[in-house]
Amino acid sequence: MSEIPNNKLISLDDLSVLRAVARAGGFRAAAVQIGLSPSRVSDIVRRCEDRLGFRLFERNTRHVAPSDVLVNLLHQADGPLAELHDLIAGMADTDTAPKGVLRIGAPVAAGPLFLTKLAADFAAQYPSVSVDLRYDDTIVDPIAEGLDLVVRSSAFLQQDHHALPIGPKIALSLVASPNYVDGHGRPETIAQVADHDGICFRLRTEDRLAPWMLKNSEEGDAVAMLPRVRATVDSLPDVIELARAGLGLAMVYADAVKEDLAKGQLVEILSGQAINSPASASPICQKDTNR
């Protein structure tokens, strides 16, 4: 089928005007019904006739009647237009309950910590919603990946993203193995942390390390810093495993190492000073990572 040139097409809005004029029997009456001025209606009719190349209405100063061609056109269009009207009405359904698929991207650790249960509770509350959870520690572009939202620590937020708090406030802990502490000592201040080996979380897609946020217990403010980098990984389980192996200090979610702390496989450093929000942090300070 050959394609119709654009200059020969008429829009659905124009077709609705033609139908209104045909049913009302005049430009003025149709204008009142559809909320346009008579001159605007007349302009639309004339434009359609110019595009199609023939008269759509037989008219004089007293009467306006649709031509046989227009009668046939409107007869054929009534069915599809009615279906289109029903489709649009369905889209504008007054039922505002959420429906469809909610696609969520999140780090692997978020699942057992809170997100899987939160998603299950949400799906139970809204039966018309399907939940698609995609756990990946890579920092992704939600639009490029087709995600409706991504869950990230506040330390990883990007400037062009809109953020809302979700889930619980998750505590962080600075930990190390007893063997590491025996061999390197236990840092007692934030400044001393910078002189210790550390296992750091790498933001793979941004090629940078996530800063450690530590609250200065004496002054009450926060400092963003990094230790001497002994190892970099991009998953929380690997951070914990390397900490158990004694490679250095590690900043981890407190709930993820509860058993390790209870068994004595890890010990907490600077208890209560690790935080997960950089909002009030001082400028980043970082020791030279060259060993």
Side-chain angles (χ1 to χ4, degrees):
M1 179 180 294
S2 60
E3 187 174 342
I4 301 174
N6 288 336
N7 63 354
K8 294 292 185 181
L9 295 175
I10 60 175
S11 69
L12 290 178
D13 287 341
D14 289 350
L15 186 59
S16 296
V17 171
L18 298 178
R19 184 167 59 171
V21 174
R23 290 180 174 178
F27 293 175
R28 187 173 298 278
V32 171
Q33 292 178 8
I34 60 180
L36 297 176
S37 67
S39 61
R40 177 62 178 155
V41 171
S42 179
D43 288 341
I44 292 173
V45 170
R46 187 178 302 107
R47 182 176 69 236
C48 291
E49 289 178 332
D50 290 343
R51 286 191 167 187
L52 295 174
F54 49 78
R55 291 177 67 83
L56 295 172
F57 292 95
E58 303 298 338
R59 50 195 182 271
N60 56 35
T61 57
R62 305 175 71 179
H63 300 286
V64 174
S67 66
D68 291 341
V69 174
L70 180 58
V71 170
N72 184 53
L73 172 64
L74 294 177
H75 176 71
Q76 295 184 55
D78 275 343
L81 284 175
E83 293 178 6
L84 182 60
H85 180 273
D86 291 342
L87 177 61
I88 294 174
M91 293 174 63
D93 194 336
T94 55
D95 180 11
T96 58
K99 56 177 68 71
V101 180
L102 178 61
R103 298 174 179 84
I104 305 173
V108 176
L113 286 175
F114 71 93
L115 187 57
T116 300
K117 182 180 184 306
L118 189 64
D121 292 343
F122 182 86
Q125 183 176 355
Y126 300 103
S128 296
V129 175
S130 298
V131 179
D132 180 359
L133 294 173
R134 306 181 187 185
Y135 291 117
D136 189 340
D137 287 317
T138 303
I139 304 298
V140 300
D141 182 334
I143 296 177
E145 297 295 326
L147 300 173
D148 298 301
L149 60 91
V150 292
V151 177
R152 289 288 178 259
S153 166
S154 55
F156 303 155
L157 295 180
Q158 298 175 346
Q159 292 183 349
D160 59 345
H161 288 176
H162 299 285
L164 293 173
I166 181 174
K169 190 79 168 180
I170 300 178
L172 294 178
S173 291
L174 184 63
V175 299
S177 72
N179 287 340
Y180 178 85
V181 172
D182 290 342
H184 298 80
R186 177 191 292 264
E188 301 293 340
T189 66
I190 293 178
Q192 291 176 2
V193 170
D195 291 319
H196 277 262
D197 294 339
I199 305 151
C200 298
F201 190 91
R202 181 176 67 252
L203 305 178
R204 190 190 315 168
T205 54
E206 299 182 17
D207 195 26
R208 67 182 177 91
L209 301 179
W212 290 6
M213 307 302 304
L214 293 168
K215 180 175 60 177
N216 189 320
S217 59
E218 296 180 358
E219 301 175 7
D221 59 354
V223 176
M225 65 180 309
L226 283 174
R228 291 194 309 250
V229 180
R230 179 75 190 280
T232 60
V233 294
D234 54 16
S235 75
L236 179 63
D238 288 338
V239 172
I240 296 172
E241 185 63 32
L242 293 178
R244 293 191 192 113
L247 266 69
L249 310 180
M251 181 79 76
V252 296
Y253 293 123
D255 284 350
V257 292
K258 284 193 301 186
E259 291 187 12
D260 291 286
L261 293 173
K263 294 177 181 178
Q265 293 178 301
L266 296 172
V267 296
E268 189 170 15
I269 307 297
L270 298 177
S271 178
Q273 290 183 243
I275 60 175
N276 61 4
S277 174
S280 59
S282 302
I284 292 177
C285 59
Q286 179 177 353
K287 300 289 285 188
D288 187 352
T289 57
N290 295 322
R291 300 181 60 81

